[in-house]
Amino acid sequence: MIAAAAGLALAAPSPPAKAPLDRVALAGQVRAEILHAWNGYRRYAWGHDELKPLSRTPHDWHAETLLMTPVDALGTLLLAGLDAEAAEAREAVAGLSFDKDIQVKNFEITIRVLGGLLSAHQLTGDPRLLARAEDLGNRLLPAFDSPTGMPYMYVNLKTGRTSGAKSNPAEIGTLLLEFGTLARLTKKDVFYEKPKKALRELYRRRSPIGLVGEEIDVETGQWTSRTSHVGGGIDSYYEYLLKCERLFGDAECGQMWRESRRALHRYLADETPSGLWYGEADMVTGRRTARTYGALHAFLPAVLVLDGDLKRARRLQESGRRMWSLHGIEPDGLDYGTMRVVSPTYPLRPEIVESAYYLDRRTKDPRYAEMGRMFLESLTAFCRTEAGYATLKDVISKEKGDLMPSYFLAETLKYLYLLFEPRAVDFDGVVFTTEGHPLKKTW
Ligand code: DMJ
């Protein structure tokens, strides 16, 4: 009796009752926000890569534009049924020339532009988009001409000149879904073989305990950083091992994933009083070097869902929710030992939303759509501007930064939309690239 009374006295006050979750209304709301973000780009940055929503000016990555936002956003516009906007974006993208004397990041251009073109080609059947993708793929291929076969970080789209020997697992190992799809659609095997060799070369340099580091020299094949984790610079390498098995039936990739995941669960997973996290360790000794998790790490529950590991996926997503709720929106880095923010930015990242979408599809547990509602409310409260959406320089002060990265339309808003309107995509019939572009096995 006394214990029960004490328990009652200690119980937290129940949160104010929320309106029941209305997926149709929420999907409508996200669709309106897609339109808002797109119109901001269209009005202030049309013909350029990205929008700077505070100064209402355009931002280009290079001396000449690659229309990053229209290419990345086209699939989202199509899936959300924004037909007029999609048609306009498609015409702009179909006329895009890659004959440009600019030194581009192979990884970023592959996941945003090559992936965007291929997915939009599959969604529309427009042959011009495949032709653009093939031209781009040919121009990126020289990146793989290193002594090890692992790609240089940069390549010139006109001359093929490469630079940037120091690279990382994510930039080396997150190319095969896009290049492989190009290979299958054009029937040119070279597009599959080069990134596959790169993946193999990277994998065979894993440490004796099965981990990879944060930086590697593609000329010497030597690691230049032994720091291992599942965050930026490594993250999507793991994602593609599993997804390449799914999309291409490549059993070798699947075997590499299963071997790697053992090391992840053994050395990076961290059971703490605040839940399950995946932190940082030395790739050779496995010794814990930091307890840092952040917005980028939050892709992992989605991959665990694909792997059938719902238990770990659910628990890790709960940690992600805790990270998000600390300051009402997630940071790029959190010390989960002290629960202090160590990297305060929030550049409109999608990963936690993506994981909520995967969990919702597999578990049908309404908590994930409910999480999605929380993400949407935070985004509109802290990042929405008159001209679109802005990054946060600091999740505590909520000071805004002047950029709307193209992945916000490609991924963050797309996954939110799909969470509330799952019929827009056949979840089991596609494999999403790391940039949120659905690819279909049509071969
Ligand atoms: C996107 O370009 C991709 O999701 C990539 O894998 C990681 N970084 C951004 C989003 O955070």
Side-chain angles (χ1 to χ4, degrees):
M1 206 45 196
I2 292 168
L8 267 184
L10 286 174
S14 37
K18 279 237 163 199
L21 195 95
D22 180 344
R23 286 193 191 236
V24 175
L26 284 162
Q29 200 186 328
V30 178
R31 193 170 180 272
E33 294 310 312
I34 293 172
L35 200 51
H36 175 68
W38 174 253
N39 281 336
Y41 166 78
R42 214 174 149 267
R43 180 153 179 212
Y44 299 111
W46 183 252
H48 295 273
D49 283 338
E50 290 174 325
L51 165 71
K52 293 169 80 173
L54 303 185
S55 56
R56 298 179 198 178
T57 54
H59 165 69
D60 281 311
W61 286 35
H62 314 95
E64 292 183 76
T65 184
L66 291 173
L67 295 181
M68 219 81 89
T69 295
V71 185
D72 234 358
L74 179 49
T76 305
L77 299 173
L78 289 163
L79 294 179
L82 292 165
D83 298 338
E85 289 74 15
E88 192 180 24
R90 180 167 149 190
E91 286 313 304
V93 167
L96 181 59
S97 164
F98 295 114
D99 189 24
K100 295 184 158 112
D101 189 5
I102 52 176
Q103 198 77 2
V104 304
K105 250 191 165 197
N106 183 40
F107 162 76
E108 293 289 358
I109 299 310
T110 297
I111 66 169
R112 299 189 197 216
V113 184
L114 188 58
L117 286 168
L118 290 166
S119 178
H121 162 68
Q122 290 193 323
L123 287 167
T124 59
D126 188 334
R128 296 174 302 169
L129 303 180
L130 179 58
R132 298 290 71 236
E134 185 173 358
D135 179 45
L136 178 59
N138 280 319
R139 292 170 187 276
L140 294 174
L141 273 187
F144 295 93
D145 295 339
S146 77
T148 62
M150 292 190 284
Y152 287 98
M153 210 171 233
Y154 299 95
V155 59
N156 186 299
L157 289 184
K158 197 192 252 313
T159 65
R161 184 174 70 82
T162 53
S163 59
K166 299 263 172 58
S167 192
N168 57 59
E171 306 216 14
I172 294 166
T174 316
L175 305 166
L176 190 51
L177 284 183
E178 292 83 355
F179 275 91
T181 298
L182 184 60
R184 297 295 182 254
L185 296 179
T186 59
K187 302 198 171 38
K188 293 189 177 147
D189 292 344
V190 63
F191 291 126
Y192 197 92
E193 284 155 8
K194 294 218 173 197
K196 178 69 193 290
K197 174 172 164 48
L199 199 57
R200 235 186 242 129
E201 289 295 322
L202 179 66
Y203 175 73
R204 78 178 183 82
R205 288 176 170 83
R206 71 196 183 284
S207 72
I209 61 169
L211 292 174
V212 294
E214 211 178 34
E215 192 183 70
I216 191 164
D217 188 317
V218 303
E219 290 181 337
T220 64
Q222 299 295 314
W223 291 101
T224 47
S225 163
R226 284 170 44 163
T227 305
S228 197
H229 50 75
V230 295
I234 301 183
D235 45 10
S236 44
Y237 157 63
Y238 292 119
E239 178 184 346
Y240 272 32
L241 290 179
L242 178 58
K243 288 184 174 177
C244 286
E245 182 183 46
R246 293 295 154 93
L247 188 61
F248 305 118
D250 189 321
E252 187 187 1
C253 289
Q255 179 271 325
M256 293 189 217
W257 158 251
R258 283 180 282 282
E259 186 63 31
S260 302
R261 86 178 163 195
R262 283 201 308 183
L264 297 186
H265 296 331
R266 173 142 186 218
Y267 298 105
L268 301 186
D270 204 354
E271 289 286 355
T272 76
S274 62
L276 173 67
W277 304 88
Y278 280 69
E280 203 175 285
D282 181 284
M283 67 178 273
V284 176
T285 63
R287 193 178 58 83
R288 174 81 50 213
T289 46
R291 297 202 142 81
T292 311
Y293 190 88
L296 282 166
H297 298 66
F299 81 101
L300 190 56
V303 173
L304 294 173
V305 168
L306 269 192
D307 198 30
D309 190 349
L310 289 180
K311 194 164 170 227
R312 281 196 182 88
R314 277 177 173 278
R315 294 192 59 215
L316 192 56
Q317 184 72 355
E318 285 311 313
S319 300
R321 177 225 286 272
R322 222 160 286 136
M323 171 171 75
W324 185 284
S325 305
L326 265 183
H327 298 285
I329 197 153
E330 68 182 0
D332 259 340
L334 173 78
D335 180 327
Y336 56 78
T338 60
M339 292 309 249
R340 280 184 192 283
V341 171
V342 290
S343 178
T345 47
Y346 172 65
L348 293 172
R349 293 203 191 279
E351 289 77 7
I352 198 167
V353 187
E354 174 185 2
S355 287
Y357 166 59
Y358 278 61
L359 276 158
D360 177 75
R361 289 296 77 219
R362 274 290 171 270
T363 67
K364 301 287 182 310
D365 183 337
R367 71 192 297 110
Y368 300 110
E370 197 56 75
M371 257 186 222
R373 172 158 70 173
M374 175 179 81
F375 301 148
L376 177 61
E377 283 172 0
S378 305
L379 281 167
T380 50
F382 305 132
C383 304
R384 195 178 200 275
T385 73
E386 188 273 335
Y389 274 78
T391 58
L392 292 183
K393 286 184 179 168
D394 189 326
V395 296
I396 301 171
S397 70
K398 310 289 188 298
E399 185 194 349
K400 291 189 179 74
D402 198 9
L403 189 66
M404 185 171 82
S406 68
Y407 59 70
F408 180 64
L409 268 159
E411 294 189 78
T412 316
L413 289 175
K414 181 189 285 147
Y415 286 125
L416 265 179
Y417 182 73
L418 294 179
L419 184 53
F420 302 130
E421 180 42 290
R423 289 168 307 177
V425 159
D426 170 17
F427 181 69
D428 291 305
V430 300
V431 173
F432 287 93
T433 70
T434 195
E435 189 74 4
H437 298 303
L439 293 175
K440 253 186 310 206
K441 190 171 186 164
T442 53
W443 42 88

